[in-house]
Amino acid sequence: MNPADSKTMRDAFLGQLYAAMREDGRIFIVTDDFGAPALDKIRAEFKDRFVNVGIAEQNAINVATGLAIEGFVAYAYGIAGFMTMRSYEQVRTNLSMAAQLRPLNVNIVGVGAGLSYDLSGPSHHCLEDITLMRLLPNIEVFSPSDWTLAARIADRSRHVNAPKYIRLDSKPVPRLYDDGAAVHLDTGFHELAQGAGACVVATGYMTQVAQRALAQSAAPVGLLDIFSFKPLDEDRLCRALEKYRHVVTVEEGFIGRGGLDTLIVGVLARRGVPATVRALGVDDRYLYDVGNRALLHRLCGMDEAAILQAVAQPAPA
Amino acid sequence: MSNNPATTAPVTRDADETAMVRRLQEKAAWVRRETLRVHGVAPETRIASSLSPVEVLVALYYGGHLRFDPRNPQWAGRDRFIASKGHGCVALYPIFADVGYIAAEELATVGKTGSRLGGIPDAQIPGIETTNGSLGHGLGVACGIALALKQKRSDARVYVLVGDGELCEGSVWEAVMFAGQQQLDNLVLIADNNGISMLDYCRNIINLDPLDAKLRQFQWDAVTVDGHDVGAVHRALAGCRQPGCRRPQAVVARTVKGKGVPVLEGDALCHVKTLSKEQVTAAIGSLP
C-alpha cells in the first residue's frame, strides 16, 4: 500500500462537504467545538452555516434536528463516543422517533471510531457505538474502512433524507478501493477478496488490519468489508457468505454485544447457513492499557497474527 | 364544547385592550373547563400540569401572538410552537379543536384505542411540531429552528413552553447559553413556573429563583408575570415582539399547578394526581 495514498476519513468527508456547500445552500455543519484541518476552510467561507455550539453534544443534536425540521441538511460533527453516547436520548427522541413521522436529514459524523484514539484511553475509545446506533429504528449506520468510502458516503448523505450515523477513523488510512471500484453503498458491504473455506468479515479500520493479515496467508481467504449496517442487502450478504464453511468476524467493539459479530451470526442463523463463526474483538472490559493501536489489538487478540490464527483454526463446527 | 366564547373574529393587536383581555379571560375559563373534561375522558392525562399553562396557551393562540393556519398546519410562514413540557399540554386539545386543527368530536377520543390524541401530544397531531414527553429537548430543537428561520430570512418566530421542573435538565441550559450567544431574537421561551416538579416543590429540589435574572445573565431579555393574569401574559408576549429586541426573549409565568381545582392546588404531589369523574364534575362546577 502506498503511504502517499493515506488520508484521514474526516478530511476526505469534509472535503466533499466543502465542495457540496459551495453549490448546496441547505448544508449546515454543527460541531461541539471539534475541528479538523479541512474544517478550517468551511469555517472561514461559510460562517452562516457553520455552528459551534460549544462542548455540548446534546445541544448539537438538538440544534441539528431543528435545522433539519426546517428542511436543511445538518451535519453534527464531533468525537464519535461523545456524539453518540452523551446525546443518545436526543438521538432517540428527536431523530429516531421523529424521523418516523417526517424526513430529517441529520448526519451524526463521529470521529474516533473504535480504538483510533488509542493513547487517549477508555474515555475516548468507542466500542459501543455500532451496537447503540443500529438498535435505533429509522437511522442509517455507516462504518467505512477507508477514506474513499468516507467521501462517497459524504456525497450520498445530502441526497438521502434520513438520519444517519457515520463513524470515521481518526487516523490517516490508505485507500482500499480504487476510484472505479463498483461499490454500491446501499448494498452495505463489498467482497474485497474471494476465498475458499474461510472468510474474514470486518468493519472500519479492522478491514485494513485484516487485509494486511491476509496478504501473509498462503491459503485463499475471503474478505468482506461491512461498511454499512443500515442499509444492508442481507440477501446478497448471505449469498456471499454461504460459500464458506468458516467465518471470522473482526471488530473494534465488544464481542457478542450487538455489533458486527451479532449481525453476522443473526444473518447466518436466519438463512440457515451452517458456517461456523469465530468472533474477534474486545472482551467484556475496557482498555486502560497505555499503548498504540497495534498493542491494544494484540492485547485483545485481534491483531494480524490473531486473525491469521483464527483463519487457520476456525471455531469447531 | 359548551359555552365556548366566539373565536371566529380573531382578536387583533389593535382591538380594544380591555375587550380583548375580557375575551381572553372568557376563553381561558372555557379552556380550563374543557381540559378538565378531557381529563374525565382520559384519567391518565396529567391534569395538574395541564391547568397551570392555560392562560399562557390562550394568550398565545387567541391573543394574536402566534401566527398559524389550521387549514395549512405546515404553512411556511407560521410561528412554531414547541410544547416541550409535553405532559402539561393536554390543554392544547380543546384549543386545537376550537381553532380547527382537529375536529371537536376527537376530544372524546383522547387516550382511546386508535386515537391520535394520547396523553402527550406529538407530531402526529397537526399543529404539533415535535415528539414530546422527554423533557429538556424542546429549547435546543427550537434553537435549531430559530437559526433555520434566520437563514431563510423568515420573520416567523419560535415559541417554546417549558416547565420549571424541566429546567433541571442540563440540556436546557446548553440551549439557553447557545440562544443568548447566537442572539436568537426570534425565539421566545415561556416557563410555566408553577413551582412544583414531580415529588416536591422545585425550591426543595433545585431552587432556580430568580429565574428571570439567571436568564438575563445568559444574554436573554426576561420578564416575570402572573401567569394566570391573561392580560399580563398577553402584554408580556407583545413585549417580546417589539422591534429592537436583539436577544432571545423569556416570559416567566408564575402559575399555580392544578389552578382552579382546590384538591390539586398546593399539593406538592399533584403532578401524579388523577381526578375521579365526580371530582371532574365538581371541579368544573366550582370554576368561576
Side-chain angles (χ1 to χ4, degrees):
Chain A
M1 205 56 68
N2 178 4
D5 269 349
S6 285
K7 197 171 181 177
T8 62
M9 293 184 191
R10 68 181 183 190
D11 282 347
F13 193 95
L14 292 170
Q16 290 302 115
L17 277 195
Y18 171 73
M21 286 177 88
R22 304 188 82 157
E23 63 181 51
D24 188 343
R26 300 173 307 149
I27 299 174
F28 265 84
I29 296 188
V30 180
T31 179
D32 62 343
D33 198 36
F34 182 66
L39 201 57
D40 292 341
K41 266 198 308 193
I42 292 174
R43 286 206 286 165
E45 199 166 322
F46 304 107
K47 285 187 172 62
D48 58 337
R49 289 187 283 141
F50 173 84
V51 183
N52 187 347
V53 301
I55 304 171
E57 291 76 18
Q58 300 174 75
N59 203 41
I61 296 298
N62 283 348
V63 167
T65 299
L67 290 165
I69 284 174
E70 292 297 325
F72 288 98
V73 179
Y75 291 82
Y77 174 77
I79 291 182
F82 308 142
M83 285 310 271
T84 53
M85 286 180 262
R86 174 62 70 94
S87 58
Y88 193 62
E89 211 262 335
Q90 277 75 18
V91 175
R92 169 182 175 261
T93 304
N94 296 323
L95 299 181
S96 176
M97 279 180 207
Q100 198 158 310
L101 300 179
R102 69 196 306 169
L104 288 172
N105 197 346
V106 173
N107 302 275
I108 305 165
V109 183
V111 176
L115 296 168
S116 54
Y117 286 125
D118 42 12
L119 289 175
S120 297
S123 67
H124 279 59
H125 299 164
C126 190
L127 306 171
E128 306 91 340
D129 57 335
I130 288 178
T131 300
L132 291 171
M133 301 310 284
R134 70 182 285 251
L135 171 66
L136 297 174
N138 309 311
I139 296 185
E140 298 187 340
V141 180
F142 289 94
S143 172
S145 56
D146 83 347
W147 58 266
T148 70
L149 284 181
R152 290 189 203 200
I153 291 165
D155 272 345
R156 176 187 178 279
S157 61
R158 70 186 165 113
H159 302 295
V160 176
N161 204 358
K164 303 167 208 82
Y165 171 53
I166 301 155
R167 69 191 302 261
L168 304 178
D169 214 80
S170 69
K171 291 193 164 36
V173 287
R175 65 187 303 158
L176 291 177
Y177 294 92
D178 294 331
D179 287 330
V183 176
H184 301 286
L185 293 179
D186 287 71
T187 303
F189 74 97
H190 189 76
E191 203 165 1
L192 283 167
Q194 298 247 6
C199 175
V200 173
V201 180
T203 190
Y205 178 70
M206 292 317 293
T207 302
Q208 300 254 356
V209 177
Q211 194 185 56
R212 289 201 298 268
L214 297 184
Q216 305 159 44
S217 168
V221 179
L223 177 57
L224 250 63
D225 178 26
I226 306 278
F227 50 72
S228 167
F229 288 76
K230 285 193 271 184
L232 179 66
D233 185 335
E234 205 175 292
D235 286 334
R236 205 180 280 232
L237 176 62
C238 189
R239 283 202 297 279
L241 289 173
E242 65 191 2
K243 55 183 179 272
Y244 297 104
R245 282 181 290 119
H246 305 293
V247 173
V248 176
T249 62
V250 200
E251 64 195 300
E252 286 182 324
F254 292 118
I255 297 171
R257 300 294 184 80
L260 177 67
D261 58 352
T262 306
L263 168 80
I264 297 300
V265 166
V267 168
L268 296 178
R270 277 194 295 280
R271 305 301 179 110
V273 177
T276 66
V277 177
R278 180 151 175 197
L280 304 186
V282 181
D283 280 330
D284 194 20
R285 69 184 184 103
Y286 286 102
L287 304 172
Y288 281 91
D289 314 81
V290 175
N292 66 18
R293 202 171 195 174
L295 172 81
L296 298 178
H297 286 172
R298 183 154 59 77
L299 292 173
C300 294
M302 55 191 290
D303 59 351
E304 292 176 30
I307 292 169
L308 284 170
Q309 190 185 19
V311 168
Q313 297 172 319
Chain B
M1 305 285 279
S2 60
N3 302 319
N4 182 9
T7 55
T8 45
V11 181
T12 56
R13 255 173 285 167
D14 53 1
D16 173 71
E17 182 77 8
T18 310
M20 177 193 294
V21 170
R22 192 167 60 246
R23 289 170 68 180
L24 292 175
Q25 287 166 338
E26 289 168 1
K27 188 60 80 175
W30 176 81
V31 170
R32 183 162 275 111
R33 282 195 302 274
E34 292 304 315
T35 302
L36 280 160
R37 275 191 238 282
V38 169
H39 181 65
V41 171
E44 305 85 357
T45 51
R46 295 293 186 207
I47 185 61
S49 181
S50 297
L51 291 173
S52 54
V54 164
E55 282 75 12
V56 163
L57 295 172
V58 166
L60 266 177
Y61 279 88
Y62 299 97
H65 302 291
L66 195 72
R67 292 188 307 196
F68 60 97
D69 179 1
R71 289 162 304 178
N72 183 9
Q74 291 299 309
W75 169 44
R78 76 193 182 282
D79 292 329
R80 280 64 166 167
F81 175 67
I82 311 286
S84 193
K85 59 164 279 179
H87 326 64
C89 288
V90 175
L92 279 175
Y93 290 161
I95 293 174
F96 277 17
D98 190 33
V99 301
Y101 273 125
I102 60 175
E105 301 77 54
E106 281 195 75
L107 292 179
T109 73
V110 176
K112 304 281 186 265
T113 303
S115 175
R116 56 182 172 174
L117 307 180
I120 296 171
D122 59 41
Q124 293 182 87
I125 305 166
I128 297 288
E129 307 278 354
T130 50
T131 298
N132 306 301
S134 175
L135 298 174
H137 295 310
L139 189 61
V141 173
C143 285
I145 293 175
L147 269 183
L149 292 172
K150 280 179 173 287
Q151 186 72 8
K152 293 179 186 178
R153 308 276 186 267
S154 166
D155 67 350
R157 289 166 172 266
V158 194
Y159 292 85
V160 189
L161 179 66
V162 298
D164 48 7
E166 178 177 6
L167 295 174
C168 291
E169 291 282 5
S171 55
V172 174
W173 295 94
E174 290 184 5
V176 164
M177 293 187 287
F178 176 79
Q181 178 73 25
Q182 297 280 333
Q183 298 184 302
L184 296 179
D185 52 10
N186 54 350
L187 176 66
V188 180
L189 170 69
I190 306 166
D192 181 13
N193 189 196
N194 61 35
I196 297 177
S197 192
M198 190 153 167
L199 288 182
D200 204 345
Y201 291 95
C202 295
R203 64 174 181 270
N204 296 335
I205 304 169
I206 300 287
N207 187 359
L208 286 171
D209 284 339
L211 181 56
D212 53 5
K214 289 184 175 59
L215 291 167
R216 283 195 285 269
Q217 290 212 317
F218 286 115
Q219 306 178 65
W220 286 61
D221 290 338
V223 294
T224 296
V225 297
D226 175 350
H228 296 304
D229 178 345
V230 74
V233 176
H234 172 61
R235 286 187 293 277
L237 290 173
C240 296
R241 298 184 74 97
Q242 291 305 310
C245 294
R246 288 290 172 267
R247 294 174 156 200
Q249 305 290 305
V251 176
V252 178
R254 288 231 184 251
T255 58
V256 175
K257 199 156 179 172
K259 175 69 176 175
V261 181
V263 296
L264 299 175
E265 285 188 21
D267 180 348
L269 287 172
C270 65
H271 184 82
V272 291
K273 281 251 164 96
T274 293
L275 301 179
S276 66
K277 286 204 185 309
E278 295 71 30
Q279 285 175 310
V280 167
T281 306
I284 291 171
S286 68
L287 285 175

